[in-house]
Amino acid sequence: MSGAGAAMHRVYTDLARLTLEDSQVTALTGLAERVRELTEAVLYTDVEEDELAGVTAELATLTERLKAARREHPPVAVLGEDGTVRQLASPVTGLLNPIAPPVRVEALPDGAGVRASFTLNVAYEGPPTFVHGGVSALILDQVLGEAAARNGRPSMTATLDMRYRRPTPHGVPLTAEAAVTRVDGRKSWADGRIIDPQGRTTVEATGMFVLPRF
Amino acid sequence: MSGAGAAMHRVYTDLARLTLEDSQVTALTGLAERVRELTEAVLYTDVEEDELAGVTAELATLTERLKAARREHPPVAVLGEDGTVRQLASPVTGLLNPIAPPVRVEALPDGAGVRASFTLNVAYEGPPTFVHGGVSALILDQVLGEAAARNGRPSMTATLDMRYRRPTPHGVPLTAEAAVTRVDGRKSWADGRIIDPQGRTTVEATGMFVLPRF
């Protein structure tokens, strides 16, 4: 893990990655949201092939316009007011990452863990009408990791055990919650679950997280 | 799981979802690939805010053009020549799904399991320069599931146990492999792993999969 620790240290001490003006965050958040809508439209579209070709070509032009000025790294993180790292480019929670649902994670009072809320569209579908099992793992890895690392320092997953109780529906508001159950030195363990709109647990997870040395 | 089984049965017997002409697949594949490039450009862009606003507005127009004709469901699957279901809209392997890397999965000869190849860009980043641990889980859930369900019938994940051995780098060619270790009635167990370009195992997984009743 020392390589990972060194890489994280370099990035989290690179202030250029941490400082993004609020207006930039707002503009990029809006752009990412439009890409999410585009993604859903791609999955449902039934327009003629010449129209597909036209849209495809114009899309390439828009991408080139965005590439006219390029950062060295994505704006991975900004420091939140409470000192926590906010992952702007995370594939799970990142407002700026079009592949993120995005999942919104909040700390519960009195160190009682974290709660997440999100709705997954058809892009995250596995079995018809249900969320892909791996997407539930993706989200719980993040949510458990945030419970374990709520002191603001990033941890890395060592183990993650998923137990699927019932199918998780997409297109409806879901919640996830997680809390640390044990800490031993650089290791922490967390339990969590995804809950459907009827309050039923659909997936349970247990994870062990390790704080890199740096 | 009976609800899931019934929903899957409805969709997999809906031939309208299963028949997509090759030229449509090609056109939609190209469109999805352009959305992936756009996603990466969004994460790296440093253009001025008025240019961001302009691109954002034009993107919304392109989305509306795609929505001019809409399918009832995404083209979830087509039947491969070998009788397997090919998940065109899968968030992991779907050529038509912009959030899929996409991962390419092939069956190994003599029932020796499956092998997958893929490269993950910065959109899948967790710790700086490395793949998000949950993304590794997303991919291994799919790859193990394909090993377990290689008879062409979709299975659902019951348990998935991930063991992270070392960080998985992004931006380089990765492989994953999985094989069934045991079958007992409707249940199958599979082991798998992700391998970095140096041939080192970065993540190991064990999964149990259940064939829905229908």
Side-chain angles (χ1 to χ4, degrees), chain A residues 127 130-131 164-169 196 200-203, chain B residues 1-5 156:
Chain A
F130 297 113
V131 173
Y164 296 84
R165 299 303 185 197
R166 56 169 60 239
T168 303
D196 74 12
R200 299 174 298 199
T201 296
T202 63
V203 190
Chain B
M1 295 287 179
S2 59
M156 296 189 71

Side-chain angles (χ1 to χ4, degrees), chain B residues 97-163:
Chain B
N97 189 335
I99 74 166
V103 174
R104 181 188 171 87
V105 184
E106 299 173 300
L108 295 173
D110 305 320
V114 299
R115 179 174 295 146
S117 51
F118 52 99
T119 299
L120 300 168
N121 69 17
V122 77
Y124 304 92
E125 187 179 72
T129 79
F130 297 113
V131 173
H132 191 289
V135 170
S136 296
L138 169 63
I139 290 169
L140 282 172
D141 176 68
Q142 175 76 30
V143 174
L144 269 67
E146 291 213 25
R150 207 59 196 183
N151 55 4
R153 295 172 301 172
S155 285
M156 296 189 71
T157 314
T159 65
L160 181 70
D161 295 335
M162 305 286 304
R163 300 173 295 282

Side-chain angles (χ1 to χ4, degrees), chain A residues 23 43-46 49 51 58 65-66 69 71 74 91 97 123 125 132 134 141-142 157-158 160-162 164, chain B residues 23 43-46 49 51 58 65-66 69 71 74 91 97 123 125 132 134 141-142 157-158 160-162 164:
Chain A
S23 60
L43 287 167
Y44 278 118
T45 192
D46 199 19
E49 285 175 36
E51 177 69 346
E58 291 196 33
R65 282 171 60 183
L66 293 177
R71 298 172 197 279
N97 189 334
E125 187 179 71
H132 191 289
D141 176 68
Q142 176 76 29
T157 314
L160 180 70
D161 295 336
M162 304 286 303
Y164 296 84
Chain B
S23 60
L43 287 167
Y44 278 117
T45 193
D46 200 18
E49 285 175 36
E51 176 69 346
E58 291 197 33
R65 283 172 60 183
L66 293 177
R71 297 172 197 280
N97 189 335
E125 187 179 72
H132 191 289
D141 176 68
Q142 175 76 30
T157 314
L160 181 70
D161 295 335
M162 305 286 304
Y164 295 83

Side-chain angles (χ1 to χ4, degrees), chain B residues 17-39:
Chain B
R17 279 193 111 180
L18 298 173
T19 51
L20 208 63
E21 289 178 24
D22 286 351
S23 60
Q24 288 180 297
V25 173
T26 301
L28 288 166
T29 297
L31 175 58
E33 184 55 27
R34 292 297 87 70
V35 181
R36 288 185 198 109
E37 292 165 359
L38 174 68
T39 291

